[in-house]
Amino acid sequence: MVELSINEEEQLSVQEIERLQREVKRLAEEKNAVILAHYYQRPEVQDIADFVGDSLELSRKAASTDADIIVFCGVRFMCETAKILSPHKKVLHPNPESGCPMADMINASQVRKLREEHPDAELVAYINTTAEVKAEIDLCVTSANAPKVIKKLKAKKIVFMPDQALGQWVARQVPEKEFVLWKGFCPPHFEFTAREVEKLKERYPEAKVAVHPECHPKVIDIADFVGSTSQIIRYATSVEADKVIVITEVGLKHTLMKKNPNKEYIFPESMNYCGTVYCCTMKGITLPKLYKTIKEEINEVELPSDIIERARRPIERMLELS
Ligand code: 13P
Ligand code: SF4
């Protein structure tokens, strides 16, 4: 067996990347592990995943896999969701520091307070929330199913958390209900400005514009299409336009190019709060970290059993309703 010693701060050569990828695949097979990755992951990580998807698809995979180990290349709430849906499996997170800043914008006691303040409402949370928050809510949604699922609820009043942008976008499509929105936001998406998108449109007047619903409502207003990462992929690769302006995290470009390299995909280039064009916590998963995690079976995601039990209900309800 090859022993690898890697300083992950160094730029890896193509040969090193390939060698690590082979090792990760070999270890995954040997240990009956499945590697799940979100579309915002680094290309070299996406390329060796058994499945790459949006939050809804990844939850479905996590619930249905027969692997013994799930190695989740994404942010912490995604790993927690996998553990909640497959509590008897070992779930490994290659970088336990990689959380989602938006998920951390609301906690369980704040949700309990919302319940007291709005006893007549259903409490609905975006999947980008901690397990403790999910344990307090009535229903979980993702960007791929939120309007469809919320429309099916009986309650007239919805308390939606934590993403105000997604909440406003849903509220517009479900006008028959009253929405109370928590003021959380996704820093990388919320920082894209309408001015920046307008400038891209001036430069590429023939391009279509696809936007993620975590973006500011003023950016959403400019869009030809709004949807989750998977929905954007389907739209951008098949729409009748040679150029598509894509307003989401730039990791999506990798899949877009693989699925349809004949189009040009234009992403915003402005720096965000972490001084990059990326979601820096998503990019906290590196190939050396993935290798070390699967090799040593470290960074196991653990949750109290009562949280698992209570948090599973709103996720399963979502999977049933969508
Ligand atoms: P989706 O892939 O479900 O659209 O989610 C985007 C996102 O920001 C995940 O953190
Ligand atoms: Fe969280 Fe936004 Fe990063 Fe997704 S892109 S993990 S919502 S900060």
Side-chain angles (χ1 to χ4, degrees):
M1 190 188 125
V2 205
E3 267 309 312
L4 296 161
S5 137
I6 304 122
N7 176 358
E8 64 184 22
E9 301 311 320
E10 284 170 16
Q11 188 75 24
L12 298 177
S13 67
V14 174
Q15 288 82 358
E16 280 169 319
I17 289 175
E18 287 174 355
R19 196 156 66 96
L20 268 177
Q21 288 179 319
R22 277 196 302 276
E23 271 304 286
V24 171
K25 289 301 272 180
R26 186 188 67 72
L27 287 163
E29 207 177 314
E30 186 182 293
K31 292 167 185 264
N32 190 26
V34 65
I35 302 172
L36 305 183
H38 187 266
Y39 287 120
Y40 297 162
Q41 290 294 297
R42 294 164 185 263
E44 65 273 21
V45 171
Q46 289 191 39
D47 285 347
I48 47 163
D50 297 295
F51 183 78
V52 186
D54 71 4
S55 307
L56 180 62
E57 296 163 342
L58 287 165
S59 330
R60 288 203 174 114
K61 276 280 160 192
S64 64
T65 180
D66 54 12
D68 295 319
I69 302 176
I70 300 173
V71 187
F72 210 119
C73 300
V75 287
R76 195 179 310 119
F77 78 80
M78 295 181 166
C79 305
E80 288 183 349
T81 306
K83 183 70 187 171
I84 292 163
L85 291 169
S86 287
H88 304 299
K89 295 192 195 302
K90 197 180 245 189
V91 178
L92 306 179
H93 187 196
N95 185 355
E97 308 273 293
S98 276
C100 164
M102 172 161 64
D104 294 330
M105 289 179 188
I106 189 161
N107 62 36
S109 70
Q110 289 168 317
V111 182
R112 285 193 288 271
K113 192 151 179 281
L114 285 169
R115 171 89 63 200
E116 275 167 34
E117 286 166 2
H118 306 279
D120 51 335
E122 287 235 49
L123 267 52
V124 180
Y126 193 17
I127 197 158
N128 298 38
T129 40
T130 62
E132 273 135 39
V133 163
K134 288 191 180 84
E136 301 290 337
I137 57 160
D138 301 313
L139 175 71
C140 187
V141 294
T142 76
S143 55
N145 63 19
K148 185 176 150 193
V149 169
I150 291 174
K151 259 183 203 289
K152 292 185 183 168
L153 298 179
K154 284 210 175 79
K156 189 113 190 58
K157 186 172 173 188
I158 305 295
V159 176
F160 188 87
M161 66 203 84
D163 189 6
Q164 58 183 294
L166 180 68
Q168 282 191 57
W169 178 67
V170 175
R172 284 188 197 178
Q173 291 167 80
V174 192
E176 64 276 22
K177 295 198 191 291
E178 178 196 344
F179 283 79
V180 176
L181 304 180
W182 189 257
K183 295 285 182 222
F185 59 95
C186 159
H189 280 94
F190 214 59
E191 281 181 28
F192 298 132
T193 64
R195 181 74 204 109
E196 190 178 1
V197 183
E198 293 291 6
K199 273 192 185 160
L200 289 173
K201 276 188 67 165
E202 281 161 25
R203 249 168 73 200
Y204 305 97
E206 72 281 33
K208 292 283 184 193
V209 181
V211 170
H212 195 279
E214 287 169 12
C215 291
H216 193 281
K218 285 188 177 153
V219 171
I220 288 182
D221 282 344
I222 306 169
D224 295 300
F225 178 83
V226 183
S228 75
T229 50
S230 285
Q231 292 167 340
I232 290 177
I233 290 165
R234 281 195 287 279
Y235 172 81
T237 54
S238 62
V239 66
E240 276 190 34
D242 295 335
K243 294 184 173 64
V244 186
I245 298 168
V246 184
I247 311 298
T248 190
E249 212 265 9
V250 68
L252 208 66
K253 194 168 193 168
H254 187 60
T255 306
L256 290 170
M257 290 304 290
K258 269 171 123 174
K259 294 219 178 211
N260 188 348
N262 300 318
K263 286 181 195 274
E264 192 180 339
Y265 307 103
I266 302 131
F267 282 74
E269 286 172 0
S270 59
M271 296 294 170
N272 64 32
Y273 77 112
C274 47
T276 68
V277 293
Y278 310 113
C279 168
C280 43
T281 53
M282 278 282 185
K283 297 297 188 281
I285 311 292
T286 61
L287 196 51
K289 281 194 168 77
L290 169 57
Y291 166 69
K292 191 172 161 61
T293 299
I294 191 165
K295 178 169 175 266
E296 297 172 18
E297 295 185 32
I298 52 171
N299 302 329
E300 185 168 355
V301 178
E302 288 182 89
L303 291 170
S305 54
D306 65 309
I307 294 283
I308 291 184
E309 208 169 299
R310 285 161 54 217
R312 191 162 52 228
R313 277 176 241 148
I315 308 173
E316 283 182 347
R317 190 172 174 213
M318 167 187 81
L319 294 174
E320 278 157 27
L321 288 172
S322 63

